[in-house]
Amino acid sequence: MFFSLAGCAGAARGAKPASVDMPRRDINAVLRDHDRELMAIPGVSGVYVGLLDDKKTQCLRVIVARKTPELERKVPRRLEGYRVVIEETGPIRPLTKQN
Amino acid sequence: MDFRRLAGKISGALLPAFAAFSLLLAFGAAPQERAALSTSHVKIRQLMEIQEAVTPDLMANEDIIGTAIGADDDGQPSLIVYVNLEGRNPAEAVRSTPRTLRGANVTVEVVEPFRAMVGKPGGASHTAKQSFPIQLGTSGGFGYDLANGYCCGGTLGALVQIGGSQYILSNYHVFESDIVNGGNNLVAKNGDPIIQPGLIDVSCNLNNAQAVATLAVKKSLPDSNVDASVAQVIPGAVSGDILEIGSISSQIEPAVLGQLVKKSGRTTGLTRSSVSGLNATVSVTYDNECAGGTAFTKTFTGQIIINNKGSRFLNSGDSGSLMVQDADTNPRAVGLLYAGSSSLAVANPIGDVLSFLGATMVGK
């Protein structure tokens, strides 16, 4: 399987569902092990460790210039228990100015 | 359509009208979205009623400067609460704001204070030609950065020390990315002039600028993990101060999530924001000269991500700016800014930059 999807809904029914969803590894290690796979998805220009909107919960944020249905299908919702959020940023460019 | 960032900003008195306006703006493009999420949508109406009821209590905290209707990371309607980045204690305001109010999801956004858009009062010019010794955080660049009918430039960021000499720190793509003969029949080389202001601010005429340093080619890209370059200071030409920041510390500071930072740059001047991401892997494509063709796409790792909504923190021409902690006195350097979009900015960790260059910050 392309991505480890431990923690996805439906992975375990019944016994200890909460523990299945709990991140087990440091998020930086999870990023390190998955960034190449995420960057290989066409349209992905970056991935980083950020926070959810609650400003407390760590998550993986995937940078895309433009969000498409295909990207939403290809980018996993979770990786090893961490939420993965697609962030539409527009193109990322070096910021010199040209006249 | 991502409507969460279009919700806007408003003081309490105008909230209902603003909410309706922002929703029309946000959902105006696609008919199906209008039908799903207009102000007539029952969820949005309920959210607006909650917003109207809770906003006065929220704004009793002086660091909360507005509310609006938007969406959370799942795309679900949410009450947006704006916290003043420059307030008395924004971190406490973020912490103390409930994540749900009367059943509504609450999303907290830390923003610069809202101002009428009449320009920046009283700020120093970051594009004017200065008297020696110049302060940094100013327009500058490669003296021959003129090709293909255009000229280019960025920001002279800070002073660093290598061995016994002082150098201006900026980006590879500001100082030395002219790597093909191409449109100007030259490539950047050791000893070439680094000027203030940059060509973009002197009508592309080198004679209207002044040399302040000489290029010391480092070729940080494409092989290293930093977009950095330096130029040896011409004696007497450069002060260690940065416009609107002043002197900085010789010590550096690692970035942390939520950290408040500032920078002084050619285009947006002195601006503040917060670190929103760490350990980023980011791909950036570079040209082979000013307005040239593609040279390479570089994938950086371990980068710092900074909030840059509406390019208010960093914009074109600010490349090369030093990002420092938001402290009043001798702030420590955190990163070297080099890329971004209209919603985020990207910086090399300053420790990586200094390691690559074998340099230390010049400061107190």
Side-chain angles (χ1 to χ4, degrees):
Chain A
M1 190 172 183
F2 194 55
F3 294 105
S4 167
L5 294 176
C8 285
R13 191 179 291 266
K16 298 181 181 176
S19 65
V20 171
D21 215 24
M22 290 293 289
R24 293 170 186 165
R25 292 206 296 156
D26 178 83
I27 194 167
N28 293 291
V30 175
L31 175 67
R32 190 167 56 243
D33 288 348
H34 292 281
D35 66 345
R36 287 189 182 184
E37 299 155 348
L38 292 166
M39 294 291 287
I41 298 172
V44 171
S45 55
V47 58
Y48 67 95
V49 174
L51 298 176
L52 294 178
D53 283 338
D54 66 6
K55 303 288 189 282
K56 291 185 293 191
T57 310
Q58 287 190 323
C59 68
L60 296 177
R61 287 188 168 267
V62 173
I63 300 168
V64 301
R66 186 170 178 77
K67 196 185 284 187
T68 65
E70 186 180 8
L71 275 164
E72 296 199 76
R73 277 196 306 274
K74 290 184 172 176
V75 174
R77 301 289 175 93
R78 284 185 177 272
L79 278 172
E80 300 190 28
Y82 291 102
R83 281 280 310 277
V84 180
V85 177
I86 300 176
E87 184 174 335
E88 187 176 75
T89 66
I92 296 177
R93 302 187 176 98
L95 288 177
T96 43
K97 188 168 178 63
Q98 178 181 304
N99 276 354
Chain B
M1 176 176 183
D2 179 3
F3 65 95
R4 87 189 70 149
R5 305 306 175 207
L6 296 175
K9 328 147 182 181
I10 197 73
S11 66
L14 298 174
L15 281 170
F18 171 73
F21 177 64
S22 63
L23 283 162
L24 286 173
L25 276 179
F27 307 124
Q32 68 278 17
E33 289 173 355
R34 265 203 306 272
L37 289 165
S38 71
T39 53
S40 63
H41 192 288
V42 63
K43 283 186 178 176
I44 300 299
R45 283 211 315 272
Q46 289 170 348
L47 200 51
M48 289 171 66
E49 288 171 8
I50 294 169
Q51 178 193 20
E52 192 169 358
V54 303
T55 294
D57 283 344
L58 287 168
M59 293 186 68
N61 180 335
E62 65 184 50
D63 285 349
I64 292 178
I65 54 177
T67 66
I69 309 295
D72 62 18
D73 280 330
D74 295 320
Q76 296 303 307
S78 178
L79 176 63
I80 310 293
V81 175
Y82 293 107
V83 170
N84 184 357
L85 176 65
E86 298 175 15
R88 184 173 295 179
N89 192 344
E92 173 59 22
V94 170
R95 193 197 62 75
S96 63
T97 301
R99 268 36 185 184
T100 60
L101 277 170
R102 303 189 185 191
N105 290 331
V106 173
T107 300
V108 180
E109 295 198 0
V110 181
V111 297
E112 290 190 347
F114 307 145
R115 298 183 176 99
M117 302 302 285
V118 293
K120 288 190 173 181
S125 171
H126 293 254
T127 56
K129 187 176 179 180
Q130 299 180 38
S131 304
F132 282 2
I134 66 161
Q135 294 186 64
L136 300 171
T138 184
S139 168
F142 175 49
Y144 307 134
D145 212 358
L146 175 66
N148 307 303
Y150 293 89
C151 62
C152 291
T155 293
L156 309 179
L159 267 189
V160 296
Q161 178 125 355
I162 303 174
S165 301
Q166 292 190 339
Y167 293 77
I168 296 174
L169 172 65
S170 186
N171 295 136
Y172 160 89
H173 75 273
V174 175
F175 281 180
E176 55 173 288
S177 65
D178 192 333
I179 56 173
V180 296
N181 282 324
N184 56 4
N185 203 31
L186 59 83
V187 297
K189 63 183 188 306
N190 283 328
D192 283 345
I194 296 300
I195 58 171
Q196 191 281 326
L199 289 176
I200 47 173
D201 294 309
V202 289
S203 306
C204 302
N205 185 347
L206 177 60
N207 293 327
N208 295 334
Q210 55 190 343
V212 293
T214 54
L215 179 61
V217 171
K218 295 293 180 184
K219 295 189 189 313
S220 66
L221 293 178
D223 294 332
S224 88
N225 196 42
V226 295
D227 181 348
S229 184
V230 291
Q232 186 165 8
V233 168
I234 293 172
V238 182
S239 119
D241 286 358
I242 298 173
L243 285 167
E244 301 190 87
I245 290 177
S247 59
I248 62 169
S249 172
S250 60
Q251 304 297 306
I252 63 173
E253 184 83 0
V256 295
L257 283 175
Q259 180 179 28
L260 303 182
V261 291
K262 61 184 176 181
K263 77 96 191 59
S264 177
R266 178 260 173 202
T267 304
T268 55
L270 175 68
T271 54
R272 294 177 165 86
S273 187
S274 59
V275 172
S276 61
L278 297 174
N279 209 13
T281 300
V282 184
S283 289
V284 182
T285 298
Y286 289 87
D287 287 350
N288 55 17
E289 63 180 350
C290 183
T294 296
F296 51 83
T297 296
K298 172 68 184 179
T299 299
F300 297 89
T301 58
Q303 303 300 288
I304 305 167
I305 302 294
I306 307 98
N307 287 312
N308 191 35
K309 196 174 296 180
S311 299
R312 288 194 291 268
F313 177 65
L314 196 76
N315 210 338
S316 299
D318 286 329
S319 265
S321 302
L322 185 73
M323 181 173 76
V324 299
Q325 58 182 173
D326 189 7
D328 289 338
T329 308
N330 298 327
R332 294 183 177 191
V334 176
L336 178 63
L337 291 152
Y338 66 99
S341 73
S342 58
S343 68
L344 59 78
V346 192
N348 298 138
I350 194 65
D352 292 355
V353 172
L354 297 177
S355 294
F356 172 79
L357 296 170
T360 55
M361 299 304 305
V362 172
K364 295 180 175 172

